[in-house]
Amino acid sequence: MSELNLVLLGPPGSGKGTQGERLQQDFRLPYYATGDILRAAVRDGTDLGRKAKEYMDRGDLVPDELMVDVIAERVATSDAADGFILDGFPRTTGQAEALDAKMEELGRELTAAVLIEVSDDEVVRRLGGRRTCVKEGHIFHVEFDPPKNEGVCDICGARLEIRDDDKPEVIRNRLDQYHQKTEPLVAYYEDKGILRRVDGAKPPDEVHDRIRAMLATLRMEEQL
Ligand code: AP5
C-alpha cells in the first residue's frame, strides 16, 4: 500500500479535529495536530508553550519560526514512515513551503490537502458549543455531538471544558487570521493539483464517509 501524507485544511471549527480523530482510527497513521501540541506545551510549561501562549490567547498565529520545526521533526520520524495526518499545519505560505522542502528532503510527496469548507456563521455556532476533554482532547458539541453524560468524556471519562480561545472575541480574530493568512493555501494546493474539497456543513458521519471515499479513490487512481 502506498503512503498517505495528508493535510487537513479549513477554518477554525470546520471539523479538522473531529475528522482527524476518525481518520487516525481508519488508517492507523500518526496524527499531528499543532493546536493540541501547543496546548500540551502550554500545560507543561515548556519553552515553546511559554512563547506560544500569548499568541494563542489572542487568537493570533504563533510565528512560523516556532512552528516549522515542531512538524518537520515529526514527519521525519520512523512512526510517520507510512504516512501522517496533519491538522492545523501548514497555516501560512511560509509553513507550506517549509513542509514542501522537508518532504523533498525525505524524497516524499503530500498525497492530498483536504479542505473542509464551512461558513463563518457556522464556525461561530460550532465553537460556541464545543466541549473538549481535558485529558485526551476528544471533541464534543452540546447540540451537534453531545456526550452521553453532560460534562464527561464518553471515551476516557475525563472532565469536558470550554477551550480558552473559544470566547466570542477570540473566535472572531481566529477567523480573520484564517482568511488573511491560511486561506491563500487553498490556491497554493490547487495549483499543485492536490486540493480536495469537502462540504463540512454536513453531519460529522457524512463528512467522514466523504473523506474516506475520496481517499480510497485517490489510492485506486495511484495504482492504475
Ligand atoms: P487549533 O487547535 O488548530 O485550532 P483551529 O484551527 O482554530 O481549529 P479548531 O481546533 O478550533 O477546530 P477544528 O477544525 O479542529 O474543529 P473541531 O473538530 O474541534 O489552533 C489553536 C491555536 O494554536 C491557533 O489559534 C494558533 O494560535 C495556534 N496554532 C496552531 N497551529 C498553528 C500553526 N500551524 N501556526 C501558527 N499557530 C498555530 O469541531 C468544532 C466543533 O464543531 C466541535 O464541538 C465539534 O463537535 C463540532 N463539529 C465538528 N464537525 C461537525 C459537523 N460536521 N457538524 C456539526 N458540528 C460539528
Side-chain angles (χ1 to χ4, degrees):
M1 189 68 85
S2 56
E3 57 186 71
L4 184 63
N5 303 320
L6 209 62
V7 165
L8 298 179
L9 266 185
S14 53
K16 301 182 296 298
T18 301
Q19 298 303 327
E21 198 167 316
R22 292 165 188 229
L23 294 170
Q24 181 188 18
Q25 299 292 327
D26 295 338
F27 296 103
R28 302 275 158 203
L29 288 174
Y31 166 60
Y32 303 125
T34 41
D36 292 348
I37 294 168
L38 290 170
R39 280 184 289 278
V42 171
R43 266 198 309 277
D44 296 344
T46 66
D47 194 34
L48 171 67
R50 278 194 303 277
K51 288 178 182 153
K53 187 174 185 320
E54 59 171 307
Y55 297 97
M56 296 173 77
D57 285 348
R58 287 197 300 264
D60 287 341
L61 294 188
V62 176
D64 287 356
E65 57 270 25
L66 291 179
M67 296 309 306
V68 164
D69 287 348
V70 168
I71 288 302
E73 280 166 14
R74 284 172 171 81
V75 300
T77 59
S78 55
D79 287 355
D82 292 333
F84 52 77
I85 301 166
L86 296 185
D87 164 359
F89 188 98
R91 246 179 165 99
T92 62
T93 307
Q95 292 180 14
E97 288 169 353
L99 179 62
D100 284 348
K102 188 70 196 177
M103 295 300 278
E104 199 178 332
E105 182 191 316
L106 297 170
R108 297 167 63 176
E109 283 182 349
L110 287 180
T111 314
V114 177
L115 172 65
I116 306 178
E117 296 182 291
V118 299
S119 67
D120 287 7
D121 286 347
E122 180 69 10
V123 164
V124 173
R125 283 201 311 145
R126 286 188 186 179
L127 295 186
R130 172 163 59 185
R131 298 293 180 270
T132 307
C133 146
V134 291
K135 192 168 159 217
E136 294 176 354
H138 302 294
I139 304 161
F140 300 87
H141 190 282
V142 289
E143 191 185 336
F144 308 130
D145 186 15
K148 291 189 186 74
N149 297 302
E150 200 185 319
V152 180
C153 177
D154 290 352
I155 299 157
C156 68
R159 181 171 55 83
L160 299 179
E161 66 172 6
I162 298 175
R163 254 171 56 175
D164 284 346
D165 59 352
D166 281 348
K167 298 181 196 121
E169 66 282 9
V170 183
I171 293 172
R172 192 46 65 191
N173 188 39
R174 285 165 63 202
L175 267 170
D176 287 347
Q177 295 275 309
Y178 174 77
H179 290 305
Q180 282 174 37
K181 297 178 181 161
T182 309
E183 215 164 26
L185 296 184
V186 174
Y188 182 92
Y189 286 123
E190 211 152 35
D191 287 349
K192 290 184 180 292
I194 60 166
L195 187 81
R196 297 290 181 276
R197 293 172 186 267
V198 181
D199 179 1
K202 300 269 191 284
D205 286 348
E206 261 184 62
V207 178
H208 178 217
D209 288 346
R210 178 81 191 81
I211 297 175
R212 264 196 324 194
M214 174 205 298
L215 294 175
T217 309
L218 266 180
R219 285 189 141 176
M220 263 175 22
E221 284 170 4
E222 265 180 20
Q223 282 158 14
L224 290 178

